[in-house]
Amino acid sequence: MLRVAVVGSGPSGVYTAQSLVQSEPGALVDVLDRLPCPYGLVRYGVAPDHEKIKSLQNNLRAVLEHERVRFLGGVLVGPGGLSATRLRELYDAVVYCVGAATDRQLGIPGEELPGSWSATEFVSWYSAHPDATAAGFVRGARSAVVIGVGNVAVDVTRMLARGTAELSRTDIPQAALTALAASGITDIHMVGRRGPSQARFTTKELRELGGLPGTEVTVDRTNLALDPDCLTPSALPAARRRNVEELRNWAELPPRGAPRRIHLRFFLRPVELLAEAGRVAAVRFERTAPDGRGGVRGTGQLIDIEAQLVLRSVGYRGVPLEGLPFDAEQGTVPHRAGRVVREGRTVPGEYVAGWIKRGPTGVIGTNRPDAKETVTSLLADVSLLGGEEPSEDPLTVLRAEGFEPVEWGGWEAIERAEAELGVSLGRGGVVKLPDWDALRAAAREARP
């Protein structure tokens, strides 16, 4: 019997558990998460209106309901919780699948002004993440600037422009729905420092902006003319070519006078957030231009864009894990094929998968081969892992040491409570519980 702890219940953690039980008939896997809810960014990072992607939870659920897989939510690994050393004592091996937990900073003056947020903070709020403490994102805002041109930037831009009718059919928490319904934002600027052909959003995400009721998308033709790759898009890779074609179509459209406008702007580098009455009022950008080597250079020309709300979406970054080595430059745990490396040597029994292993790259499906590589390394190390069966079930030990893990029945109780909340609010479907207290109370109602 091989007992393995997987820390993190997002896609990388669940795919790791799946690979383990498929590859090793004697493996028993506990999937630990500090939250009482599974699925990681599929639950708390995918926008509420992306129901097709969120349906991936059904696939993850099948893994977590496997007879040799056990979900243990509400277990913090790290300071104030279960130490890495203690965790290693309880299991033959531990795989850390904790993602990239913080955002990259812009590093410009005014970034900490009220009204300036990371996109992750905004996503956490409209996804009902229990750690979300901020509110009032859209209160009093007329114009918003989203800095970044990846899929997360498109998500938050779309959510700012979405109508109440569409959002009320999703699982968005009631407080966020009410706030967005009352929003007075009419203009949303999504801004990138490089050219249109180098934007990192997918065409599918981009096209969704053009289908929002009461909203028009504008693109400045001069941005396209300045980008040499936009002049001959046929030479671009297919995904980038489709993006350019979509942007060119929007650039040709005349203004329609829609109530809301999404402005896609390029060749602008943020240099400062400007204040008025103690909060953000505008973003100052420097215009950039192609440098002939695939990058951009500053032109010295400045432009200010009004904004009472600024959301930065310029990437994620891993954070150090207590008890594990950390590469501060890469924001990852050093490893070889998933084996944790300490002082130049691999450590049998300690492994990583997902973003904390490779950095915040790829899509959800990328986690499958990534997890398989790590599991292959783990199973090759079985003879080095001790081989002695633990004297007690780790769950029994955890409870004896004061932990109160939320098992699968507790999660199912949370699901029932969220379904009942949706009915009580007249919204028909599931509505997410918004905070720790509500989640814990629901979990305690688990049926025996």
Side-chain angles (χ1 to χ4, degrees), residues 100-119:
T102 191
D103 296 87
R104 294 184 181 275
Q105 301 284 315
L106 295 172
I108 61 175
E111 188 170 4
E112 302 306 320
L113 282 170
S116 169
W117 311 89
S118 72

Side-chain angles (χ1 to χ4, degrees), residues 23 26 67 70 127 191 197 210 216 226 236 247 303 309 355 358 362 366 387 391 409 413:
S23 304
E67 61 182 2
R70 185 166 58 182
S127 298
V191 186
S197 69
E216 62 181 313
L226 187 58
L236 290 170
L247 294 169
I303 177 175
L309 170 63
W355 279 1
R358 69 180 188 273
T366 309
S391 58

Side-chain angles (χ1 to χ4, degrees), residues 346-362:
T346 57
V347 182
E350 293 182 331
Y351 306 88
V352 286
W355 279 1
I356 199 63
K357 171 187 174 185
R358 69 180 188 273
T361 61

Side-chain angles (χ1 to χ4, degrees), residues 252-271:
E252 297 298 323
L253 295 175
R256 302 198 322 267
R260 290 182 299 274
R261 294 163 293 279
I262 295 173
H263 310 269
L264 303 183
R265 310 181 71 154
F266 303 91
F267 293 116
L268 293 173
R269 180 176 68 87
V271 295

Side-chain angles (χ1 to χ4, degrees), residues 99 104 124 126 138 151 166-167 214 228 250 255 258-259 308 343 376 437-438:
R104 294 184 181 275
S124 293
Y126 68 59
V138 298
N151 279 345
E166 300 95 57
L167 287 178
W250 281 329
Q308 296 78 37
E343 299 178 350
T376 299
D437 288 343

Side-chain angles (χ1 to χ4, degrees), residues 30 58 88 123 129 160 176 186 191 226 230 261 273-274 365 410:
D30 285 349
N58 295 328
R88 184 68 183 86
V123 171
H129 194 292
L160 285 170
T186 57
V191 186
L226 187 58
C230 289
R261 294 163 293 279
L273 271 58
L274 307 178

Side-chain angles (χ1 to χ4, degrees), residues 10 50 159 379:
H50 273 181
M159 289 296 292
L379 295 179

Side-chain angles (χ1 to χ4, degrees), residues 373-396:
E373 178 189 57
T374 295
V375 169
T376 299
S377 295
L378 188 159
L379 295 179
D381 294 345
V382 165
S383 63
L384 305 174
L385 301 181
E388 296 181 4
E389 293 191 9
S391 58
E392 288 187 272
D393 182 342
L395 178 55
T396 302

